[in-house]
């Protein structure tokens, strides 16, 4: 876990999607590292491994670069993973999948965040 705390649902979606896309293409960490460096947003292989493990948060600039590397839009990396064997990326309303951590729970309102 990073110093910033555990990943939230969007971070977990990105982590799982990046891993899935990398494995589908049979790309190693070094290959992704080289492609990111060509885009001017280097992430070392160790950092990519930490993303896979949920130990490194992906910031917005990383997200944009990773989407470009895989030829996708940012929104596609943020989508729940459809490959989850339990919920297929869509848990029932009001629940969170314990396998992939995708949530259909309502987002906390600004008022609730202020009162927390």
């Amino acid at each position: 876990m990073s110093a910033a705390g555990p990943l939230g649902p969007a971070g977990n979606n990105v982590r799982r999607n990046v891993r899935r896309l990398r494995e589908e293409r049979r790309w190693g960490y070094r290959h992704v590292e080289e492609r990111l460096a060509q885009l001017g947003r280097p992430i070392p292989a160790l950092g990519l491994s930490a993303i896979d493990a949920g130990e490194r948060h992906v910031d917005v600039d990383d997200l944009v670069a990773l989407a470009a590397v895989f030829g996708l839009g940012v929104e596609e990396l943020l989508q729940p993973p459809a490959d989850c064997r339990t919920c297929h990326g869509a848990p029932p309303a009001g629940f969170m999948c314990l396998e992939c951590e995708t949530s259909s729970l309502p987002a906390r309102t600004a008022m609730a965040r202020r009162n927390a």
Side-chain angles (χ1 to χ4, degrees), residues 63-115:
L63 181 65
V64 171
L66 286 164
V69 160
F70 291 109
L72 302 172
V74 168
E75 68 282 356
E76 293 174 270
L77 289 181
L78 291 167
Q79 292 298 314
D83 65 337
C84 176
R85 293 170 295 199
T86 302
C87 74
H88 306 289
F95 290 89
M96 182 175 97
C97 177
L98 296 178
E99 181 180 333
C100 71
E101 299 178 5
T102 297
S103 175
S104 67
L105 299 172
R108 289 178 28 177
T109 63
M111 180 66 80
R113 281 193 291 271
R114 276 189 294 220
N115 294 333

Side-chain angles (χ1 to χ4, degrees), residues 42-59:
I43 300 175
L46 188 59
L48 293 166
S49 173
I51 290 170
D52 265 10
E55 297 169 351
R56 181 184 188 278
H57 286 249
V58 172
D59 70 22

Side-chain angles (χ1 to χ4, degrees), residues 20-28 31:
R20 177 183 52 79
L21 291 162
R22 190 181 54 74
E23 290 174 352
E24 284 175 359
R25 289 168 169 82
R26 300 184 195 280
W27 291 355
H31 182 78

